[in-house]
Amino acid sequence: MSTLSRLVPSARGLFIFEAAARNRSLTATAGEFNVTQPSISRSIAQLERELGIRLFDRSPKGLELTDQGRSLYAAVREGLGTIGAAITAIQEQEKVSKTVVTLSLSSSFAAHWLVPRLGAFKARFPDVDLRFDLISGIMRGVPDNIDLATRIISDDDPHYYWWDFAPEVIVPVCSPAYLEAHGKLNHEGNGHGHVFLHLTDHDLREWGRIWGSVANRTTMKGSWHEFSDYAVILEAAIRGEGIALGWVSVISTALLNGTLSPASDRLFKTGRHHRLIAPRSRSLRPIVPEISEWLALQMVKELEQLADLLKFEDE
């Protein structure tokens, strides 16, 4: 670099040369630098004296690079391009200096549990931005580009780091207004007068053990609406449109604030656990366990508040 500074005393001269070679015009180059045309002409002449070579041939048609000028222009263009790309990359990094954490969640969990906590999350993690990869139906595998997800996995799954989040507990729920208008659901009845909100991905033959005989398609008297997005099911239930199966890990906030109520005395514990998981296929950033522990703590607090309502004792 010290040799270059002796060869070219002023870096500005190289910038002006690059612009003049690119524009092939003193007038256009002057406009680019917001100076007069004679000023550009003097700067080029000074650079030519410093280098001891002629860079341009002047003609009525404008500027034409000499052979030496073309060689220098190629080098300057490459060098300035590299510098410009590096500066742009650095500036872009500064724009996204906050840590971005990508979450793979059900749309229902995001909408009904996490969104109400985004303010508290931002207060706890002011330098973290979240990016959501949302799933409307059954939760399956986790893409490798995900930092953190909620899934049910076994204790010995070798593919993930994991943190306990919540036991899988399912409660039929509806709005308080629906409950007042229709009364509690008798699972062993025929469902007459009730509307049931069901996730399309859930086979009624499997989930009938929770719904009870009201799910028997041959004898039931109730109405059924099926949705492919569980978040919409819960929204419909909150609006008083029917009864839904409610996963406590998703509806805990709605139960506490009274927008949803148990539709019957049935509470089903599967024995499985929802977990916060991070793929082992990518490096575990320190912020991920911190976020996991914070989320788990929020859930623990809510489950404690729900203990009396749901008799949430261990089996």
Side-chain angles (χ1 to χ4, degrees):
M1 288 299 286
S2 60
T3 302
L4 180 59
S5 65
R6 289 196 299 270
L7 291 173
V8 186
S10 172
R12 178 178 170 80
L14 288 179
F15 287 121
I16 291 175
F17 164 71
E18 187 278 332
R22 173 167 35 84
N23 293 321
R24 298 293 199 272
S25 166
L26 293 176
T27 302
T29 303
E32 193 171 310
F33 283 85
N34 197 28
V35 297
T36 64
Q37 180 177 327
S39 175
I40 294 296
S41 183
R42 287 194 296 272
S43 294
I44 292 174
Q46 180 179 349
L47 180 63
E48 288 178 322
R49 287 195 300 272
E50 290 169 350
L51 299 179
I53 57 176
R54 193 176 80 257
L55 299 173
F56 294 101
D57 287 327
R58 282 84 170 167
S59 72
K61 295 182 179 180
L63 299 177
E64 295 293 335
L65 285 165
T66 63
D67 290 343
Q68 295 92 334
R70 279 190 289 271
S71 296
L72 180 61
Y73 176 53
V76 170
R77 181 176 56 184
E78 180 180 357
L80 294 181
T82 301
I83 294 170
I87 292 173
T88 299
I90 292 169
Q91 290 174 333
E92 290 299 318
Q93 289 174 359
E94 287 298 310
K95 290 179 183 178
V96 293
S97 58
K98 291 183 178 180
T99 301
V100 177
V101 174
T102 302
L103 305 177
S104 174
L105 311 170
S106 70
S107 56
S108 56
F109 176 77
H112 295 276
W113 194 89
L114 187 53
V115 166
R117 289 171 173 76
L118 286 182
F121 179 90
K122 183 54 63 177
R124 173 61 181 82
F125 300 99
D127 296 325
V128 175
D129 286 347
L130 297 177
R131 187 177 73 82
F132 294 92
D133 180 49
L134 300 180
I135 301 167
S136 60
I138 296 292
M139 307 287 283
R140 294 186 171 86
V142 179
D144 288 340
N145 65 334
I146 297 298
D147 292 300
L148 192 62
T150 55
R151 296 290 193 278
I152 293 176
I153 64 170
S154 62
D155 294 354
D156 58 353
D157 193 314
H159 301 100
Y160 303 103
Y161 305 98
W162 59 265
W163 301 262
D164 269 327
F165 185 61
E168 186 180 38
V169 179
I170 305 169
V171 183
V173 291
C174 60
S175 72
Y178 181 95
L179 186 62
E180 182 177 353
H182 299 272
K184 281 192 173 183
L185 173 65
N186 174 11
H187 288 271
E188 303 314 318
N190 60 17
H192 178 72
H194 284 291
V195 179
F196 302 98
L197 310 171
H198 189 65
L199 185 65
T200 303
D201 285 351
H202 285 165
D203 188 335
L204 272 180
R205 290 171 297 182
E206 176 186 355
W207 292 94
R209 71 188 190 279
I210 300 176
W211 279 119
S213 62
V214 296
N216 188 326
R217 291 285 190 178
T218 61
T219 60
M220 65 179 181
K221 302 297 183 181
S223 300
W224 287 77
H225 298 318
E226 292 192 7
F227 302 81
S228 61
D229 189 335
Y230 184 56
V232 179
I233 290 177
L234 292 181
E235 185 62 29
I238 288 170
R239 291 179 176 273
E241 299 300 331
I243 300 173
L245 293 181
W247 271 253
V248 171
S249 59
V250 174
I251 64 168
S252 57
T253 301
L255 288 171
L256 286 173
N257 64 28
T259 54
L260 285 177
S261 298
S264 72
D265 295 326
R266 178 164 294 190
L267 179 148
F268 191 83
K269 297 183 180 182
T270 69
R272 304 191 304 173
H273 281 76
H274 296 279
R275 286 171 170 150
L276 298 162
I277 65 174
R280 290 183 179 271
S281 58
R282 62 185 303 176
S283 298
L284 183 66
R285 293 187 288 167
I287 193 65
V288 172
E290 291 182 35
I291 292 174
S292 299
E293 291 164 8
W294 184 85
L295 291 173
L297 179 60
Q298 308 313 303
M299 179 56 75
V300 166
K301 291 178 180 177
E302 285 212 335
L303 295 182
E304 289 174 349
Q305 294 177 64
L306 285 171
D308 289 338
L309 177 64
L310 299 178
K311 294 182 172 41
F312 202 73
E313 72 279 355
D314 293 331
E315 291 185 343

